[in-house]
Amino acid sequence: MTDIKRVGILGAGKVGIVLAELALKAGYEVRISGSGEIAKIAMTIDTLVPGAIAATNEVVVQNSDIVLLAMPLSRFKNNLATLLDGKLVIDAMNYWWETDGIREEVLDSTTSSSEQVQAYFKGATVVKTFNHMGYHNLQEDARPAGDAKRKALLVAGDDSAAVATVANFVDTMGFDTLIASNLAAGIMAEPGADMFGASVGKAVLQQLVDDFPESTLGKQISAQK
């Protein structure tokens, strides 16, 4: 399991800021980038998440043990495909028409969005999580381990070691996890699925997984209980 001490976040919007807050509270060193000049981003970061370090995408990636993608989904290909080579990456992005535009211009309809992110960043290992819960719930519902009111997040990925590392990271951020053993299963957390928007405990999340039609994936979903 990878030892994570430094967290990088690409995207300084609402989701990116909340994830930075949670990571700082969990004791991680946090770097974050956004669109625009570094000086302007730094002012925003200093105000909203004091303690996080504003930097360029390249500097964030170079100085992070794990990288969280929290930018608008339509912009991930604005980065070089080699940017994340060798990195463990969390895809926290979702398609959202108001910011991303026409879906067919952003995504191939035959696979999940995270599979397309992985296909682009071929040299990275992509795991999907932090997707189905709204940023306000992420901010308000984080709880210590063992808390009866703790919520759960789906963690989906093809690499079992990477998924285990990410699940441990999510736990330190304040959430239980439900593991899906392939990245394609992340479609269950995309907009339009029953899980999307859910801020629920592990038992209810498991029921949403059990109720999801496997035919929708185009391949077998193996959810690890």
Side-chain angles (χ1 to χ4, degrees), residues 19 23 39 74-75 84 102 120 128 139 164 167 172 175 185 203 208-209:
L19 292 174
S74 58
R75 298 180 189 171
L84 301 173
I102 300 172
Y120 183 74
K128 186 183 187 79
Q139 187 175 47
T172 67
F175 301 93
L208 290 171
V209 169

Side-chain angles (χ1 to χ4, degrees), residues 86-103:
K87 292 293 181 177
L88 175 56
V89 175
I90 290 178
D91 175 16
M93 301 182 293
N94 282 309
Y95 166 75
W96 204 247
W97 70 269
E98 291 180 328
T99 54
D100 294 321
I102 300 172
R103 183 182 176 89

Side-chain angles (χ1 to χ4, degrees), residues 37-111:
E37 298 179 0
I38 291 298
K40 183 177 180 180
I41 296 169
M43 290 179 62
T44 301
I45 298 306
D46 288 343
T47 301
L48 298 179
V49 275
I53 303 166
T56 63
N57 286 356
E58 292 75 16
V59 171
V60 167
V61 171
Q62 291 167 9
N63 292 278
S64 298
D65 303 312
I66 191 168
V67 179
L68 284 67
L69 301 181
M71 66 188 75
L73 183 61
S74 58
R75 298 180 189 171
F76 78 88
K77 288 187 177 179
N78 290 354
N79 299 283
L80 290 176
T82 55
L83 174 67
L84 301 173
D85 281 3
K87 292 293 181 177
L88 175 56
V89 175
I90 290 178
D91 175 16
M93 301 182 293
N94 282 309
Y95 166 75
W96 204 247
W97 70 269
E98 291 180 328
T99 54
D100 294 321
I102 300 172
R103 183 182 176 89
E104 290 75 14
E105 295 178 355
V106 178
L107 293 170
D108 179 348
S109 61
T110 62
T111 63

